[in-house]
């Protein structure tokens, strides 16, 4: 899918994300794979945002990045830690001065990374594409795929500037190891916050508790509960756990307080594109469809045969989620023996 | 306290939306509306100004777009905005996010020359493009702090008195509170408030309220920085996504869960 025949080698920057304990977040492999394709033989330059001065990738992390063909890991280091999207953008801008002729900066699609992308666009003159589901080089230009209007249209978009900044949706690009592993070196990029970065004070920040389930935005399987659950998410959680998936919810379910707001899928919540989406008691309002319509396979269980979600479901089951979901979970357990 | 609230006219998300041959959003379907998420921005701005209640406290609604776009500021006037500005210039057509941000930044500076602007408020995203880039770009271009995605907003004082804005943000992996000095740019989420419904009287009054129309020349914006000319991305192909094929809809007759499991196995999804 990656046509590099017409592209000269050029470096590509990848913004890595890691948890407080130093574990890389899920889309890393996909981002690095896409970056290798874009670099066309050029170096993949990874960027590590150091939460404090001692925060550095562990040997196992470097080894893993090596299997993905990462040439270097640039550590953005500021006194008291590199916090805030303005400071990350400042670090990437600094790095772009050092890494000559970069073709692209790749980031996972997230609220914060879109802020980083916005600042990079203004500071470097780069063209930006957010929520891309494909990124390749064609005729020397970075070309992206993207679905718009709640997943009802697909577009291909070329970046006309020498540098492209692209935020990539999770599960968009299949991850693959590099042909030859590398031994990435760690290079420090010391930062002193500029006026814009220094103007914003972080009053308080709470990293979200890890539920033990995969991260919603990058999970391969997501089971979603809507109004039809009437507040009882246990069958949704049970099926998600059998499938090793994440649990999501509709706006109604989060507004009712049945589940935390961060589980909301939709145009104003989390946008997901898992390999498998299962909606239980989800009607499929346009706001919700905008956040999930790009999913690979869509399964819907709803008591209402006229629910709009059936219009986009590969498999629709008109029935009671409180019998269908537990039965499916039991059958999957039985098949596994 | 003077607040500029940026609003956008978008195709109604309940309508059939489409892209034209030029890759641009078709905006003349007659199904246009104020971007729903901008109603939260207008509400947030009005609430801040009403809490002060002084003669100098004002909300100015600002939009950029073709003729129809005036409907967006008109709706903001109905809700209670005190003044409205519409940047109307054919040369803006085809602008990408940064090209739009250039025009809005120039318009905010223009307004600031009459009287200082303390805060710029936007919605969390446009329901047409959904890029969410604009608030941060606007902050960057104006050289002021940007605090996007506020689910709660607190403002103390104003820019002249060294006031601050504080925003609570719910992000992908964390929640945080940020504080910055005024003037600043913020965007608010749909969790921030419940937008008011204008009454009949307000709707009638807004009909007669003046809207200041400005061109790129009025704002001193170099046309090369905006519109299709300044766009840094180019749509190559845009087509409606084909409907999913081989869709199956079954009535549960007691084995629905088993069928679901079998379907996942057949598709290689487990």
């Amino acid at each position: 899918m990656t046509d590099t025949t017409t592209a000269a080698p050029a470096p590509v920057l990848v913004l890595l994300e890691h948890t407080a304990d130093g574990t890389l977040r899920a889309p890393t492999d996909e981002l690095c794979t896409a970056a290798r394709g874009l670099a066309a033989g050029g170096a993949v330059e990874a960027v590590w945002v150091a939460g404090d001065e001692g925060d550095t990738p562990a040997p196992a992390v470097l080894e893993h990045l090596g299997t993905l063909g990462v040439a270097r890991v640039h550590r953005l280091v500021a006194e008291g830690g590199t916090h805030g999207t303005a400071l990350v953008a400042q670090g990437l801008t600094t790095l772009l001065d050092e890494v000559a002729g970069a073709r692209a900066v790749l980031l996972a699609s997230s609220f914060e990374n879109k802020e980083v992308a916005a600042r990079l666009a203004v500071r470097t003159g780069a063209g930006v594409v957010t929520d891309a589901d494909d990124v390749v080089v064609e005729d020397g230009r970075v070309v992206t795929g993207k679905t718009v209007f709640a997943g009802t249209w697909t577009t291909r978009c070329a970046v006309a500037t020498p540098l492209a900044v692209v935020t990539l949706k999770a599960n968009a690009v299949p991850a693959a190891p590099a042909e030859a592993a590398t031994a990435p070196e760690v290079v420090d990029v010391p930062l002193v916050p500029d006026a814009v970065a220094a103007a914003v004070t972080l009053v308080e920040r709470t990293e979200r508790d890890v539920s033990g389930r995969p991260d919603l935005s990058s999970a391969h399987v997501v089971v979603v509960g809507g109004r039809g659950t009437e507040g009882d998410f246990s069958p949704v959680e049970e099926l998600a756990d059998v499938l090793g998936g994440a649990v999501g919810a509709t706006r109604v379910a989060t507004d009712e307080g049945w589940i935390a707001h961060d589980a909301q899928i939709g145009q104003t919540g989390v946008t997901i594109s898992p390999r498998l989406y299962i909606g239980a008691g989800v009607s499929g309002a346009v706001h919700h469809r905008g956040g999930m319509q790009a999913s690979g396979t869509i399964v819907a269980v709803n008591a209402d045969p006229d629910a709009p979600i059936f219009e986009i479901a590969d498999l629709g089951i008109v029935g009671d989620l409180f019998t269908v979901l537990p039965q499916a979970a039991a059958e999957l357990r039985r098949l596994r023996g | 306290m003077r607040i500029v609230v940026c609003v956008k006219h978008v195709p109604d998300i309940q309508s059939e939306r489409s892209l034209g041959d030029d890759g641009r959003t078709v905006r003349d379907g007659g199904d246009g509306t104020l971007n729903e998420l901008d109603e939260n921005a207008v509400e947030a701005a009005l609430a801040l100004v009403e809490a002060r209640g002084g003669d100098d406290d004002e909300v100015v609604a600002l939009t950029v777009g073709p003729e129809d776009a005036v409907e967006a500021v008109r709706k903001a006037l109905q809700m209670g905005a005190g003044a409205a500005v519409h940047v109307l210039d054919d040369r803006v057509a085809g602008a990408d996010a940064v090209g739009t941000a250039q025009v809005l930044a120039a318009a905010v500076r223009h307004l600031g020359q009459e009287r200082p602007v303390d805060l710029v408020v936007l919605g969390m995203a446009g329901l047409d493009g959904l890029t969410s880039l604009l608030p941060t770009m606007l902050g960057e271009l104006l050289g002021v702090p940007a605090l996007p995605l506020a689910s709660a907003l607190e403002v103390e004082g104003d820019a002249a008195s060294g006031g601050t804005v504080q925003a609570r943000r719910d992000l992908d992996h964390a929640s945080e509170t940020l504080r910055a000095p005024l003037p600043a740019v913020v965007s608010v989420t749909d969790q921030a408030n419940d937008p008011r419904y204008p009454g009949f009287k307000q709707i009638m009054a807004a009909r007669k309220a003046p809207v200041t129309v400005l061109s790129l020349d009025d704002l001193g914006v170099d046309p090369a920085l905006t519109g299709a000319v300044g766009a840094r991305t180019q749509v190559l192909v845009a087509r409606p996504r084909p409907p999913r094929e081989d869709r199956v809809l079954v009535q549960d007759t007691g084995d629905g869960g088993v069928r679901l499991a079998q379907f996942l196995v057949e598709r290689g999804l487990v």
Side-chain angles (χ1 to χ4, degrees), chain A residues 15 23 63 87 89 93 99 111 120 122 125 132 138 150-151 174 190 199 226 232 254 260 271 273 281 298 306 319:
Chain A
L15 183 67
T23 310
E63 192 182 329
L87 190 52
T93 311
V99 178
F111 287 129
L120 283 178
V122 173
E138 284 173 11
D232 180 0
T254 57
T271 301
S273 47
I298 297 174
D306 297 321

Side-chain angles (χ1 to χ4, degrees), chain B residues 199-270:
Chain B
F200 180 70
K201 247 170 84 180
Q202 287 87 347
I203 291 172
M204 295 311 286
R207 219 178 257 181
K208 293 185 205 122
V211 175
T212 306
V213 177
L214 297 170
S215 70
L216 292 184
D217 298 331
D218 295 331
L219 297 175
V221 174
D222 177 359
L225 292 177
T226 188
V229 185
R232 300 171 185 176
T233 55
Q234 177 199 352
V235 177
L236 303 176
V237 188
R239 52 176 162 250
R241 197 183 160 111
R244 287 171 187 262
E245 288 174 10
D246 305 325
R247 288 187 295 114
V248 180
L249 183 64
V250 296
Q251 175 77 42
D252 176 30
T253 52
D255 64 346
V258 173
R259 294 190 68 164
L260 201 170
Q262 282 169 349
F263 174 85
L264 300 184
V265 172
E266 284 162 18
R267 293 280 181 115
L269 289 166
V270 288

Side-chain angles (χ1 to χ4, degrees), chain A residues 175-263:
Chain A
E179 280 175 28
T182 50
E185 55 170 328
V186 178
V187 188
D188 279 7
V189 182
L191 293 176
V192 177
D194 63 18
V196 174
V200 177
T201 308
L202 179 63
V203 179
E204 174 267 339
R205 182 171 169 109
T206 313
E207 300 294 326
R208 207 114 52 214
D209 295 338
V210 180
S211 65
R213 297 194 180 96
D215 177 43
L216 183 59
S217 58
S218 58
H220 293 301
V221 177
V222 178
V223 186
V224 176
R227 188 192 297 272
T229 64
E230 292 170 359
D232 180 0
F233 264 63
S234 54
V236 172
E237 289 169 351
E238 183 194 10
L239 185 58
D241 289 340
V242 170
L243 292 165
V247 171
T250 62
R251 176 82 193 261
V252 173
T254 57
D255 280 357
E256 289 284 346
W258 297 340
I259 186 165
H261 172 65
D262 54 49

Side-chain angles (χ1 to χ4, degrees), chain B residues 73-108:
Chain B
V73 287
R74 201 64 82 185
K75 180 71 187 281
L77 288 168
Q78 291 172 7
M79 289 177 71
V85 175
H86 178 191
V87 182
L88 175 65
D89 196 309
D90 290 345
R91 292 170 293 179
V92 180
D96 59 10
V98 74
T100 306
Q102 293 280 6
V103 178
L104 288 173
V108 171

Side-chain angles (χ1 to χ4, degrees), chain B residues 2 35 58 103 116 149 161 166 172 208 226 255:
Chain B
R2 190 162 186 239
N35 175 39
E58 181 190 34
V103 178
L149 300 171
S161 66
Q166 184 163 307
D172 297 71
K208 293 185 205 122
T226 188
D255 64 346

Side-chain angles (χ1 to χ4, degrees), chain A residues 86 119 195-201, chain B residues 119-120 135-136 138-140 142-148 165 179-186:
Chain A
R119 291 193 187 280
V196 174
V200 177
T201 308
Chain B
L119 191 65
V120 181
T136 311
L138 199 49
E140 185 82 24
L142 292 169
V144 303
L147 307 183
V165 55
R179 188 170 54 228
L182 298 171
V185 177
V186 299

